[in-house]
Amino acid sequence: MSTRRDLEIKFADGTAGTAVATWGQHAIWDVVRTLGTEAPRYNVSVSSPVTPAMPVSHILDSIQPLIGIHESLRTRLRPDDDGGLRQIVDAAGQVPVVVRECAADDAAAESAALHAEVAGRPFDFAREWPIRVGLVEADGLVRHIALSVSHTAVDGWGMRQLALNMAAISLGEPVDQLRERLPSMQPRAEAEFQASDRGRRLDANARQYWIKKLALGPAQLFPTRGAENLPWPHGVLNSPALATAAANVAAHHRVSASSVLLAAASTMVSRVSGSPDAVFQIVVNNRFLPGLTNAVSTLAQEGLFHFSAVDKDFPDAIRRTHRITLNTYRNSYYDKRRLDADIERANGDGGTVTDHSCFFNDVRNLIPMATDGGAPREPLAKALSRTTWQWRHDCEPRPNVTFAVDVLDAPGALELVMVADGGRIPRPDMERFLSGIEDLVVGEARSLGYES
């Protein structure tokens, strides 16, 4: 049993103005505005216990300064008459806050329900600010917080930075000191950079890279195996062993754990599809330019990863993946509208572009407020015995997607979440694909002598 009250965080002391939308804002807006009832799944949301518990007023006082620091949190988006998109930064407004008061024993359950509420509605880009807050209060203190921010305002890396900023302020760091310690480019300034000579060169080079790569790979990776309109299954492999093994293998080969997992995914694309190549769109955070490292905004875009002639030597695949991803990262900052037009022209000129309908997104360690995915200290054989597989609800079809794999943190484990076109990748192949990633990485760890 809980009671509810609705509050607001009012803000009236900010900068204001308009500018053309950034590449990231426009790319997400183009996607989300076509999704209808599915739009909320693109919200960037997190729910977390508040430890130690704090008064409601302290939480609100920690969030309010962030609205001044980060223009993205008070930015609306509105189409131009000529088909473009503009960002409108407001100097004043309010953020809605829902507070549910309940008994301490009920706080966790109330938190889950509240998270679903604040995250489960689409944002009105033209009329409302892109952030909502939910608080669960018990015995006069906030025990859980839920934040939901429109993906047009932040990506996963932006939400991470927002959470870090909020934690710093709640612990007493002065706002001016935070601004000085973590300087960040605002979206209007980023839009100005993108229109500059250097920004246009980055865009042109990235799009040229894409078009060149899209001429080199297979036109179709996974053949159609069933009737159209088959379900899109949602499968989850939870693996404590993979969490340990990926870290160990990465340390040995002096690469990132993401490279290890992407190498395994590439190998499994080749094995399951029968193609000698693997092609992914991988999500890249694009925080490489000065001023963007600490940005609370939406910068992540897809980079094109093409691994040709995948062979059976997994250590070699790891090293090659690491090298290939460097070029992928360098060429992932671009105007997606122009890239889409380039790809359409390439298809229209009698060519057939490479199949780029497979997606890989490693979102581990993005949200420090979320559960720590620390690896268990136990032998790999024992950890393997705790691997689980789960089928969740079927998903709506996703245009121009064959499958998408997300890598997530889980308590003491790593999770691989896969959504796939059932007409191209049946359920048995989905299980084979994700289990194969685990087998490759854990097998490599064991061959290197890591058993615990």
Side-chain angles (χ1 to χ4, degrees):
M1 183 71 179
S2 66
T3 60
R4 170 186 173 129
R5 65 186 189 272
D6 294 295
L7 305 176
E8 290 180 340
I9 301 173
K10 295 183 178 181
F11 184 85
D13 192 27
T15 53
T18 69
V20 298
T22 66
W23 299 335
Q25 288 172 332
H26 212 310
I28 299 298
W29 185 81
D30 280 339
V31 172
V32 175
R33 69 191 178 95
T34 66
L35 293 178
T37 58
E38 286 285 297
R41 69 179 170 85
Y42 266 74
N43 293 343
V44 183
S45 307
V46 64
S47 178
S48 173
V50 176
T51 306
M54 300 177 181
V56 170
S57 60
H58 188 83
I59 298 291
L60 302 187
D61 288 345
S62 298
I63 296 175
Q64 201 255 17
L66 300 176
I67 301 168
I69 295 172
H70 304 296
E71 290 185 354
S72 60
L73 302 181
R74 47 191 169 87
T75 294
R76 295 174 292 118
L77 297 173
R78 185 170 293 165
D80 281 338
D81 293 337
D82 61 2
L85 186 68
R86 293 197 71 78
Q87 49 175 313
I88 303 165
V89 181
D90 296 322
Q94 56 281 323
V95 171
V97 180
V98 177
V99 181
R100 287 193 180 183
E101 186 175 358
C102 64
D105 291 343
D106 298 330
E110 288 292 340
S111 173
L114 185 56
H115 182 225
E117 177 183 341
V118 299
R121 292 180 287 117
F123 284 90
D124 185 333
F125 304 128
R127 293 180 175 84
E128 67 176 312
W129 283 2
I131 178 172
R132 302 187 190 114
V133 181
L135 305 175
V136 176
E137 184 183 34
D139 299 329
L141 297 174
V142 175
R143 310 288 174 166
H144 291 262
I145 182 172
L147 293 177
S148 184
V149 186
S150 170
H151 202 350
T152 58
V154 303
D155 51 25
W157 287 268
M159 177 64 96
R160 173 184 171 83
Q161 196 63 44
L162 179 62
L164 292 171
N165 287 181
M166 181 180 170
I169 291 174
S170 71
L171 293 173
E173 181 169 5
V175 173
D176 289 344
Q177 180 177 309
L178 181 65
R179 287 180 187 270
E180 183 177 351
R181 181 169 65 86
L182 298 173
S184 63
M185 184 184 294
Q186 303 294 338
R188 284 188 296 161
E190 187 194 2
E192 183 178 355
F193 168 79
Q194 290 170 349
S196 69
D197 288 343
R198 186 184 177 199
R200 288 196 295 268
R201 284 196 302 272
L202 286 172
D203 170 49
N205 290 340
R207 289 186 288 114
Q208 184 179 42
Y209 171 88
W210 269 74
I211 296 303
K212 178 180 177 181
K213 289 292 185 181
L214 287 173
L216 301 177
Q220 187 170 349
L221 283 169
F222 291 86
T224 301
R225 302 181 184 182
E228 294 183 0
N229 301 319
L230 288 177
W232 281 60
H234 183 175
V236 180
L237 181 131
N238 180 291
S239 174
L242 189 56
T244 303
N248 289 337
V249 173
H252 178 85
H253 289 286
R254 298 183 180 181
V255 301
S256 69
S258 289
S259 290
V260 174
L261 296 166
L262 183 57
S266 299
T267 302
M268 292 312 301
V269 163
S270 180
R271 291 182 183 179
V272 175
S273 71
S275 169
D277 292 6
V279 183
F280 284 101
Q281 291 192 55
I282 59 176
V283 180
V284 180
N285 73 24
N286 279 331
R287 282 163 168 78
F288 311 121
L289 296 173
L292 294 181
T293 302
N294 306 311
V296 173
S297 55
T298 189
L299 291 160
Q301 290 182 264
E302 291 78 23
L304 186 65
F305 172 88
H306 181 193
F307 192 147
S308 60
V310 180
D311 56 31
K312 297 181 181 180
D313 185 345
F314 185 54
D316 178 67
I318 293 171
R319 291 187 288 271
R320 291 176 62 195
T321 295
H322 179 67
R323 292 195 297 269
I324 296 168
T325 53
L326 295 179
N327 277 332
T328 299
Y329 297 156
R330 291 190 189 103
N331 293 282
S332 59
Y333 192 56
Y334 52 84
D335 185 335
K336 191 173 187 304
R337 293 166 298 160
R338 291 183 175 179
L339 176 60
D340 288 343
D342 291 344
I343 294 173
E344 186 175 354
R345 281 193 294 271
N347 268 326
D349 290 341
T352 302
V353 300
T354 297
D355 183 349
H356 52 291
S357 62
C358 300
F359 292 78
F360 181 91
N361 189 12
D362 186 346
V363 296
R364 292 169 306 134
N365 303 316
L366 288 187
I367 309 300
M369 299 168 69
T371 301
D372 185 345
R377 295 179 179 273
E378 62 182 357
L380 286 175
K382 183 177 179 181
L384 276 173
S385 70
R386 298 195 294 115
T387 296
T388 61
W389 176 272
Q390 178 186 9
W391 290 111
R392 295 180 181 169
H393 58 84
D394 290 340
C395 300
E396 293 291 323
R398 301 185 182 182
N400 305 315
V401 175
T402 295
F403 74 77
V405 170
D406 290 336
V407 183
L408 307 174
D409 282 321
L414 186 150
E415 280 192 346
L416 302 177
V417 179
M418 184 176 190
V419 176
D421 179 351
R424 293 184 182 273
I425 307 179
R427 288 179 184 241
D429 282 348
M430 289 178 66
E431 290 194 56
R432 178 187 170 201
F433 185 93
L434 296 188
S435 296
I437 293 175
E438 180 187 53
D439 290 344
L440 283 165
V441 178
V442 173
E444 175 66 5
R446 284 176 149 175
S447 74
L448 295 172
Y450 296 104
E451 284 293 339
S452 61

